[in-house]
Amino acid sequence: PQFVQAFAFSDGFACVELEGERRGVIDTTGAFTNVPQCGYNIQFHEGLARFDAYVNGERKFGYVDHTGRVVIEPQFTAAGDFAEGLAWAGDEVRRTFHRPDSRAGSESVVEGIYGFIDRSGRYVIPKQFHHRPGDFAEGLALVYVPNPADTFSYEKYLIGFIDRTGAWRIPARFHSPVFATHFAEGMAAVIEAGPKVGIQNMLFIDTRGNVRIRPPRIKRPATPVESPTNYSIGNFPSASALSHASYSFAEHLAPVPTELGIAFVDRTGQLVIRPQFCDTSGFSEGLAAVQVLNKHGRCDRDNGWGYIDHTGRFVIEPQFSEARMFAGGLAVARSLDRTTCHYIDQRGTIIRALSTQWCLP
């Protein structure tokens, strides 16, 4: 212990601060290199980290390497991390619109136009996209274009995927997602266009845009007491509770939403773990953190978290108020009374209790 502040490792380096406000990076041996730009938001990707600085009174983003050399001068009002040799970047402004149908009377939104830069800072895919794009993964990046059928709502954009030349590989015909969409294990989750746009219209496409999996439409039956809409978990038709999970394949399984909760399917679309969860981290190192439904079959913040294996069996019973993915054989989980965080191993054994002041965000 020697640091005033220390942040997560990425790409083999972590930002730290020493006494005297000396900021820099350490490698996994602890060797220190002075990097004045280091802070909580500095993470290295493919050897470069995005940093911000004020240029003529305006916040701009550039990129620095782990030696402290500024590789790309701060010049973009918005920028992402490098992935597969490219990073999205662009110019954006915040505008306020008058909305007669809003209680507040107005609404503030960020508007911008974005393209992709290479490691020299040069735009190799010109600025043309109207919402912050996704990072490249498996050769493709999600991009947004205006939806001519809508101007100010959830359906404001349509999404498609481009390759590293900027060419459309999958035309923009899907609705904007309510979760992070990227390709993993050859597939990506998107929301199909339809009269009722929502997470119930989710499906998986391959890198050619072909529909590979339509998740099972499992619905809770209506009863004389409650209608299907009121009975479905998390106000499912408006995608409030179930929209927070990351519906991506990992270790050949992907979570999918149903009206009975989140389930898991395999790469053929077969249901392998029945619907019973409110939220999940997805699989990592053989286990997935899952939040269980309460006894009424609903989601709320007090529902417990545990860890399941690929068969859906609980390896670590629900006993935490929050839980994160495993990395390096350990995971961080918060106690059910929310007073303490722990490092736990894959058997659920508490390795170390952490300070109550350092817990999950």
Side-chain angles (χ1 to χ4, degrees):
Q2 58 193 285
F3 308 110
V4 177
Q5 295 189 86
F7 304 101
F9 271 89
S10 58
D11 225 17
F13 298 92
C15 274
V16 297
E17 182 181 344
L18 296 171
E19 294 287 350
E21 298 186 352
R22 293 174 56 217
R23 295 187 174 192
V25 297
I26 56 170
D27 62 19
T28 53
T29 72
F32 178 85
T33 302
N34 184 58
V35 179
Q37 297 88 351
C38 256
Y40 74 94
N41 60 345
I42 299 294
Q43 288 199 332
F44 288 90
H45 297 269
E46 299 185 353
L48 297 180
R50 180 189 57 186
F51 75 96
D52 64 293
Y54 280 88
V55 179
N56 297 325
E58 187 177 7
R59 189 187 186 199
K60 300 282 189 177
F61 291 91
Y63 295 83
V64 63
D65 67 18
H66 60 82
T67 70
R69 181 174 66 95
V70 175
V71 177
I72 301 174
E73 293 290 339
Q75 58 191 283
F76 312 106
T77 55
D81 297 317
F82 273 89
E84 299 186 0
L86 299 177
W88 63 263
D91 302 308
E92 61 185 28
V93 295
R94 182 173 293 276
R95 300 188 188 280
T96 300
F97 291 85
H98 177 68
R99 294 196 64 184
D101 58 332
S102 170
R103 290 183 179 180
S106 62
E107 186 167 336
S108 180
V109 299
V110 173
E111 290 186 338
I113 186 166
Y114 311 88
F116 286 84
I117 59 172
D118 62 15
R119 294 172 65 87
S120 71
R122 179 177 63 91
Y123 278 101
V124 293
I125 299 176
K127 291 184 289 184
Q128 59 191 288
F129 307 113
H130 295 264
H131 190 279
R132 291 183 176 185
D135 296 332
F136 273 93
E138 300 188 3
L140 299 177
L142 176 152
V143 293
Y144 298 77
V145 298
N147 180 359
D150 193 273
T151 57
F152 207 109
S153 76
Y154 170 76
E155 299 97 8
K156 183 176 181 180
Y157 300 103
L158 295 176
I159 65 166
F161 293 83
I162 59 171
D163 63 21
R164 295 180 69 257
T165 71
W168 287 98
R169 287 278 294 276
I170 301 173
R173 64 177 187 272
F174 303 105
H175 279 288
S176 56
V178 290
F179 44 85
T181 297
H182 62 273
F183 275 91
E185 299 186 3
M187 284 187 276
V190 296
I191 294 179
E192 189 175 30
K196 289 186 177 181
V197 177
I199 204 166
Q200 66 269 31
N201 298 97
M202 194 189 84
L203 49 80
F204 287 91
I205 58 173
D206 63 21
T207 55
R208 294 177 179 270
N210 300 316
V211 176
R212 291 283 301 275
I213 296 173
R214 290 184 180 274
R217 307 302 186 196
I218 302 173
K219 295 188 175 184
R220 188 186 293 272
T223 71
V225 179
E226 294 186 87
S227 70
T229 299
N230 292 331
Y231 215 168
S232 56
I233 72 169
N235 191 20
F236 175 79
S238 63
S240 62
L242 300 185
S243 65
H244 299 296
S246 177
Y247 296 105
S248 297
F249 271 91
E251 300 182 2
H252 308 300
L253 294 176
V256 295
T258 79
E259 287 190 10
L260 292 180
I262 291 174
F264 283 83
V265 297
D266 63 17
R267 291 176 55 79
T268 70
Q270 291 296 310
L271 193 74
V272 294
I273 300 175
R274 66 180 178 83
Q276 55 190 296
F277 311 117
C278 293
D279 200 353
T280 180
S281 67
F283 277 92
S284 173
E285 300 187 1
L287 298 178
V290 292
Q291 184 185 31
V292 295
L293 299 168
N294 64 20
K295 63 181 180 180
H296 303 294
R298 295 184 180 276
C299 296
D300 61 53
R301 70 187 299 269
D302 295 323
N303 293 9
W305 284 77
Y307 291 85
I308 58 171
D309 63 17
H310 286 193
T311 70
R313 179 180 67 90
F314 273 99
V315 176
I316 303 173
E317 292 294 326
Q319 57 189 284
F320 306 109
S321 61
E322 294 178 69
R324 293 295 184 264
M325 300 173 71
F326 274 90
L330 298 177
V332 177
R334 190 196 296 264
S335 61
L336 207 53
D337 62 7
R338 298 180 180 272
T339 61
T340 312
C341 276
H342 308 283
Y343 280 121
I344 60 172
D345 66 16
Q346 293 185 324
R347 294 175 296 181
T349 304
I350 293 175
I351 303 301
R352 180 180 292 273
L354 306 174
S355 165
T356 55
Q357 294 181 352
W358 188 92
C359 224
L360 300 170

